């Protein structure tokens, strides 16, 4: 698949998971739902490897890197993000997610010694402005208190670990590690870390009675985790973690389109302008729209 096809697939799937996740709340603690999601995804990946006779043997130093990536990308990122959404509205989360592109750019430079690409930074800035315009009416509902600060703190730390996990995954893939095997091990390690945390918490283990929970869990595991993360990791290997991270700025648009169909979302002028600005930023970040600016030092790869 081309980069455009991979990018589109990730955006469409992750945009739809926002709707699927709403069926996960209520009966089961969100942290357990995260563990169930990636446990099922790891089983699917493992079964696929066995069916295709793909070797799961990898060097020890790669396992160490995958364990850290799994901790960051699947355990800390998701559990902290779920915690943040107890205190802040999704609009703040969507806007703050734009900072992950900047985090990736900086960590990619520091840890991988790869250049900071100006088109990605400019595109991410456009994306952040666009997302802010899309969710502008929601900011009137914000109540400034210590819970807001707590939620924002959880969200920021979550996106930091997501960025760190992205950059570590790029490093692992640079070693020639196959995407499917890497995702299997990273998700497996992530689940183990989550379960270790759960053992020290007073969480009630129970099976939900709502069948929609199981349908949404299957969708989140198969499509949102196995297929989307597989496509995302291929993007990350082919484009770099900085450009690949731009998907977090585009898939909220898909979520809003689905919300329009199923939840009665009402579009407004700022949202329409915001979508255009996000798409403009995407064109710039992906190099589809050329920039006529002075060259940065060390801008070439």
């Amino acid at each position: 698949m081309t980069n455009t096809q991979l990018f589109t697939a990730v955006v469409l799937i992750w945009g739809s998971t926002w709707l699927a996740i709403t069926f996960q709340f209520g009966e089961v603690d969100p942290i357990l739902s995260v563990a169930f999601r990636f446990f099922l995804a790891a089983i699917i990946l493992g079964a696929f490897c066995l069916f295709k006779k793909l070797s799961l043997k990898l060097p020890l130093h790669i396992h160490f890197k995958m364990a850290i990536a799994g901790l960051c990308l699947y355990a800390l990122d998701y559990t902290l993000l779920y915690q943040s959404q107890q205190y802040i509205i999704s609009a703040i989360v969507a806007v703050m997610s734009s900072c992950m592109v900047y985090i990736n750019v900086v960590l990619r430079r520091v840890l991988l010694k790869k250049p900071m690409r100006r088109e990605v930074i400019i595109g991410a800035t456009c994306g952040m402005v666009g997302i802010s315009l899309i969710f502008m009416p929601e900011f009137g509902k914000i109540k400034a208190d210590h819970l807001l600060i707590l939620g924002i703190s959880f969200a920021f730390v979550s996106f930091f670990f997501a960025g760190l996990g992205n950059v570590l995954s790029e490093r692992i893939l640079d070693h020639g590690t196959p995407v499917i095997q890497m995702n299997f091990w990273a998700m497996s390690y992530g689940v183990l870390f989550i379960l270790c945390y759960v053992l020290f918490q007073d969480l009630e283990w129970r099976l939900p009675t709502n069948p929609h929970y199981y349908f949404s869990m299957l969708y989140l595991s198969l499509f949102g985790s196995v297929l989307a993360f597989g496509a995302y990791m291929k993007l990350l290997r082919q484009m770099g973690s900085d450009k690949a991270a731009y998907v977090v700025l585009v898939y909220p648009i898909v979520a809003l389109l689905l919300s329009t169909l199923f939840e009665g979302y009402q579009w407004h002028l700022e949202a329409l302008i915001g979508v255009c600005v996000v798409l403009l930023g995407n064109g710039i970040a992906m190099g589809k729209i050329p920039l006529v600016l002075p060259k940065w030092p060390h801008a070439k790869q």
Side-chain angles (χ1 to χ4, degrees):
M1 296 178 69
T2 65
N3 287 343
T4 300
Q5 291 171 329
L6 290 170
F7 190 94
T8 301
V10 175
V11 166
L12 291 176
I13 294 175
W14 279 351
S16 63
T17 58
W18 278 28
L19 186 61
I21 286 174
T22 60
F23 296 103
Q24 297 287 292
F25 296 114
E27 295 185 74
V28 179
D29 188 280
I31 296 178
L32 286 175
S33 290
V34 172
F36 295 156
R37 170 181 174 175
F38 289 116
F39 178 70
L40 180 57
I43 290 177
I44 294 171
L45 285 170
F48 180 82
C49 289
L50 291 175
F51 178 74
K52 290 291 186 177
K53 297 182 179 179
L54 302 177
S55 176
L56 293 173
K57 294 181 179 179
L58 295 169
L60 184 60
H61 72 96
I62 295 294
H63 272 279
F64 178 73
K65 293 182 177 69
M66 289 188 300
I68 299 177
L71 173 65
C72 294
L73 199 55
Y74 301 116
L76 293 174
D77 174 25
Y78 274 84
T79 54
L80 289 169
L81 190 61
Y82 272 67
Q83 291 293 333
S84 73
Q85 290 180 315
Q86 298 183 59
Y87 308 110
I88 57 178
I89 60 177
S90 59
I92 298 179
V93 175
V95 173
M96 288 187 66
S97 67
S98 61
C99 75
M100 198 174 84
V101 182
Y102 300 110
I103 292 172
N104 281 12
V105 167
V106 174
L107 290 178
R108 193 170 183 263
R109 176 61 180 168
V110 173
L111 299 179
L112 305 184
K113 309 301 180 185
K114 294 184 178 182
M116 294 189 291
R117 297 186 273 199
R118 59 178 180 170
E119 68 270 20
V120 176
I121 296 175
I122 294 173
T125 303
C126 289
M128 181 174 64
V129 172
I131 291 293
S132 299
L133 289 171
I134 291 172
F135 291 100
M136 184 176 291
E138 299 297 318
F139 295 123
K141 304 175 183 178
I142 297 174
K143 180 182 178 181
D145 55 21
H146 68 283
L147 293 179
L148 175 66
I149 297 174
L150 181 62
I152 289 175
S153 300
F154 275 131
F156 179 79
V157 176
S158 164
F159 291 125
F160 172 80
F161 281 116
L164 183 57
N166 279 327
V167 173
L168 289 172
S169 297
E170 183 177 357
R171 181 65 176 272
I172 295 168
L173 293 169
D174 284 344
H175 286 288
T177 307
V179 169
I180 295 176
Q181 289 92 319
M182 187 195 76
N183 279 346
F184 166 76
W185 284 114
M187 287 183 189
S188 298
Y189 286 127
V191 170
L192 287 176
F193 284 121
I194 296 173
L195 292 179
C196 288
Y197 170 79
V198 169
L199 290 176
F200 292 97
Q201 302 299 312
D202 187 22
L203 300 182
E204 182 181 1
W205 291 72
R206 57 182 299 183
L207 293 176
T209 57
N210 188 346
H212 291 118
Y213 179 93
Y214 297 99
F215 293 136
S216 62
M217 176 62 70
L218 180 61
Y219 182 81
L220 290 169
S221 298
L222 179 57
F223 288 90
S225 300
V226 173
L227 298 180
F229 267 107
Y232 181 73
M233 289 302 170
K234 289 184 178 179
L235 263 183
L236 193 148
R237 179 173 59 190
Q238 295 167 190
M239 300 173 59
S241 55
D242 52 349
K243 285 190 175 183
Y246 204 91
V247 297
V248 302
L249 297 176
V250 180
Y251 70 70
I253 298 174
V254 176
L256 287 181
L257 292 174
L258 291 175
S259 180
T260 303
L261 294 174
F262 297 105
E263 298 176 333
Y265 174 79
Q266 298 295 317
W267 286 82
H268 49 88
L269 179 60
E270 292 88 349
L272 294 174
I273 296 173
V275 169
C276 294
V277 175
V278 170
L279 296 178
L280 172 65
N282 183 64
I284 293 173
M286 300 303 155
K288 303 296 184 181
I289 300 177
L291 294 174
V292 183
L293 292 172
K295 292 184 178 180
W296 284 13
H298 312 296
K300 295 182 179 180
Q301 294 197 63

